[in-house]
Amino acid sequence: LVERSEGWAFTGDLFVNERTRLLRRVEDVWAIIDSLRRMADVGPRILFCSQSGPIHDATSALWRKIENLQRLEGEARALRGEGVPDRAIARRLLGREGLLTLISGGEFSKLRLIEALLDEGRPRTGPVGLDRPTPMA
């Protein structure tokens, strides 16, 4: 939900923080990146996040999240190119799986994020991090 006149964006779970570390089985990381890009294009000043509270400098925070996912994809692809298995890539780039992975029965996991970023069968939403619009006045 966007309140353009105030420069507010209410993001629910789209923006929890700038560094995504887990993905659920039913989530599409490329759809998430596309949604983040569309939200950044609106140029909000403040994000109201369901878990982190208000995020000031919102447009920059959205772009940093997109860029972090793009960087993670690049690093994961480089490691896969070296023959590193996905589970080892996830551990190397994101650390060990945590309690949330255990109690969710693997529904939320770092491995799922890496697998989704590396899934060659999924269409990408296009290049990210390009042509940043001016934030709302």
Side-chain angles (χ1 to χ4, degrees):
L1 174 66
V2 175
E3 171 51 60
R4 288 180 187 268
S5 65
E6 297 293 335
W8 298 344
F10 297 86
T11 61
D13 287 339
L14 177 63
F15 187 98
V16 173
N17 60 49
E18 291 182 16
R19 296 206 183 267
T20 300
R21 301 180 60 79
L22 301 166
L23 193 71
R24 291 183 341 181
R25 179 184 330 264
V26 298
E27 291 178 306
D28 179 341
V29 71
W30 301 110
I32 291 168
I33 291 169
D34 185 56
S35 293
L36 288 165
R37 185 184 312 124
R38 285 186 285 124
M39 181 64 69
D41 287 346
V42 170
R45 289 183 299 109
I46 302 174
L47 293 180
F48 292 94
C49 173
S50 64
Q51 296 184 32
S52 298
I55 308 289
H56 297 273
D57 193 20
T59 300
S60 294
L62 288 161
W63 284 114
R64 284 190 299 271
K65 183 174 182 89
I66 293 165
E67 290 164 354
N68 285 330
L69 285 165
Q70 185 178 28
R71 177 195 47 76
L72 183 61
E73 178 201 8
E75 290 175 0
R77 287 199 184 285
L79 288 169
R80 183 184 263 179
E82 295 172 12
V84 178
D86 290 355
R87 190 172 302 279
I89 293 170
R91 188 166 183 173
R92 188 179 299 181
L93 297 179
L94 300 170
R96 297 176 64 145
E97 296 287 356
L99 184 59
L100 187 54
T101 301
L102 178 65
I103 62 175
S104 71
E107 179 63 24
F108 283 95
S109 88
K110 295 173 182 180
L111 177 59
R112 288 197 190 289
L113 176 58
I114 294 301
E115 290 172 339
L117 288 169
L118 296 175
D119 185 355
E120 299 295 338
R122 295 286 301 167
R124 293 196 46 173
T125 56
V128 295
L130 307 174
D131 298 330
R132 295 179 184 200
T134 304
M136 289 180 172

